[in-house]
Structure formats: structure tokens, C-alpha cells
Amino acid sequence: MNILSVDFGTSSVKMGVFDEFGKCLSSAKEEYEFEVVDKFGIQIDANLMIKAFIDGLGKFEEYKNKIDVVVCDVALSLLAMDKEGNPVYPMLLHLDRRSYAQSEFALKAVGKDKFMSINGNLPFAGGITCTSMLWIKDNLPDIYKRTYKFGHFNTFFLKKLVGKFMIDPSNAAFTGLYETVKEGGWSKEICNGLDIDVSKLPDIVPSKSIAGYLSKEAHELTGLPQGIPVVVGANDTTSAAYGAGAVESGDILNVSGSNEIITVTTDNPIPDEHYYLRTSVDSGKWLYLTITVGGNAVEWFREEFFKEISKDEFYLNYLPKFYKKYSDIDLTMINEKFEPYLAGDRHSLIKKTGAFKGLTFDSTRESLLLSLFIGTYEPIFNMISICKSQLKLNHDIYWTGGMINDDYLKFKKNIFKDFDFKAKRNCSELGNVKIAREVLYRRNN
């Protein structure tokens, strides 16, 4: 059995053909660029992502006709589509912060307690996509009227492949409109409070489900075999937790990439405004999640403070030496402090910005970089502290993402002194493979 796993991220799509045991037979990566509009607006043409997907398939000529099943995971986004599934407006990414006013309105219209008890999340701009729906409704009423369905990118992708509008629970949780806490359906109470038409929302279908079978039109578009099953899949971090094996209560996953993300699995969801709550792949399990700046902040720092050396020199030589230098020293003594809000705060209704504090004439770019790394983890430690009061946490943290390497591992251990790390690569892709494999096994038995 050959499984095509597709991981749609913020700036690239990573694809792989895997056998049923999780061995990667072939892989491809295609990049695309998002657009920044008036500082707070971050958007992309969803068709560019489909083009990148088609281009990636072109590198699988040996396997394209041998694919038995397709499954994808997606990063958080919002897309407005017409009845045929065509975008009627660019897709708003999780980095988008244009809907602060709508966040405030949503909180007043529905109430904090109701949001938390039903959806388990507050309507944060960029983190909960109903605020982006409201922004379109308020600012682009003609677009709102033309919108047949709102969805995340997987809604668009599945419509392309099987002709149906749908969304999985892990993505539905991040609309702010789903009954996350009880794994129900769309909340009429929240939708009515926000005056969002429930008919504009896609069907909610479990991640471990067959969305449908590859249509003739999708076959002509992709070259994949017509009629093969397409699995619903999940949000990217949800799939990564599943692929890493962070599936039992107290299990922790840390993703180190463009952002630093941490999830804690629980079987007893207790909403808190310091983290997001989403469903896991398996029913009866939930994920607490916190996200903060990561590799994007390091890259910004490199561009601004290390102009005299090349990008390769910085990442291949300077950073490994930096990690080694600070892997064994007491990091609590550092004077400089970094507030990790370069891209705002997806856990706040307040427009926050990043900042360095505690600077003196002794401060150097190296001490600032050190404070950047340490400050990045402040929201994560806040979440861990809350979770410790609720459940017993696993001592081992599953660790994945583009930034993992041995030198960075030692440095992280010096920051996370109460935990150890188990590095696992390609967890989103492996999560997709596990989901697809279990769906087909259940269908065939």
C-alpha cells in the first residue's frame, strides 16, 4: 500500500510517498509566498498552494500511478469559497491580525464564559478563525454574501479532490464555533450570538474517515488514480502529535520550526485562556496548545544583527557554537529579557509587540540573542505550569520540527531542566500515514 501524505504549511507544502510501515519512498517540497497587507494582513492565493501541490506530484512520476490513498494535514487558515469551491477572497493565514476589532465584538456578543465552556477558546485574532469571518462580513459584505462555505485549507483541498465541503474536528475547534469541549457539532448558540450563518459552514467529519474518492476532475488535474480513497486528516500539529506518539494523557509534543509550539494531551479538557483547546485525532482525547515565535524570530534577528556574515555561516557555524557555549551555564542570571511578540500574541486580545528589556552597556548582540531564545519559551512555561496542576506530565517531550539538531537539543535541555527530549522527525507526515493506515484497515475489516 502506497500512501501519499501532504503537509500544507504556511510557506511550503511537503509531500511524501510512504509504504504502510511508514517508510518514505520518495519526497518533495514546494514553496509559495504569502502576501503582507497593511502590516496586520497576511494572506495567500489558495490556488498557488494547489499549483505547488501539482508541481510536487510531478516529482513522483515513478509512484504517481501507484498511490492507493491520499491524506493531508494543514496549518491554520480561513478561506471563503463559492458553491463550486473556488476562492472568492485570498486565504487568511494564522499570522493575520486584521480582526482585532472583531475579536472584541465577539467577546462582548457571546461572552467569555460561554466561549470557554462551549468552544474552549477565546476569539483571538489569528488564532480563532471566526474573527476573520466577521472581518469579511463587516468589511466585505459582497464577499460574505458570495461565500457559500467558509473553511480551512483542508476544506478547499478536499472539495478539489472529492467534491465535498468538510472539515475535521481539530480544525473546527479553531473556528471558535465548534462544541470542542463535548466533541459535538457547530454551536448554534455561538453562531447566533455572532450572527454567522451556520449554513455557510462545512460538514464536520472525523479525521479517521474517508472523505470520498478521487473524482474524474481531480484525476485529470493531478494525474492520481481515479477512485482512490481520500482521508479527511487533521490540523498539522494534531497530526504531528499523533505521529510522534503523544496520544496518552500527560504526553507532550514540542514543534521547533517557524514557530515554537507545545501540546499536552488530556482526557479531561479544562479550558484556560493561556492555551488553546482542540480535539485530538482520537475521540475522547484533547490537546492543550500554546504557540509562540521560533525560527521566524531567529531569522529576523539574523537579518538585522548579523549582516556581515552569510545565512549559511550563521546557521551552520555561528549557531552551533552559540548552542554549545550556553548548554551548561546558569541561564537564570541573564540580565536581558525578551518579550516574544514580534508577530503579536495569538493568546491575547491586546495588540502586543516584541521588546528587549534590561539592556545595559554590557549588552551585546549575543546576549540579546540568548534572551530571545529564553523569552520565546515564556508562554510555553506558563502553560506547563497550569498543566502540572491538572495532570501528571510525561518527563519525556517528543520533539520535532525543522530546527531539531543535537547542538540545539543540549541547549534546550539547559532551559527545560525538568524534562528530557525524544527527537522524532517528520511527525506530521507519519501522523498522516497512521491515520490513513487505520482508516483503510477498518474499511477492509
Side-chain angles (χ1 to χ4, degrees), residues 2-13:
N2 290 331
I3 301 167
L4 175 61
S5 167
V6 190
D7 173 24
F8 285 104
T10 303
S11 57
S12 67
V13 56

Side-chain angles (χ1 to χ4, degrees), residues 109-111 113-121 130 133 167 172-173 175-199 201-202 204:
V110 174
D113 292 343
K114 195 166 290 184
F115 261 115
M116 295 299 280
S117 65
I118 297 174
N119 179 252
N121 302 284
C130 67
M133 297 180 201
I167 193 170
T175 64
L177 308 175
Y178 172 61
E179 297 171 325
T180 310
V181 177
K182 68 177 186 180
E183 294 184 291
W186 295 118
S187 169
K188 293 181 180 179
E189 195 169 2
I190 295 178
C191 289
N192 289 340
L194 300 180
D195 194 23
I196 289 178
D197 188 350
V198 179
S199 70
L201 304 176
I204 302 171

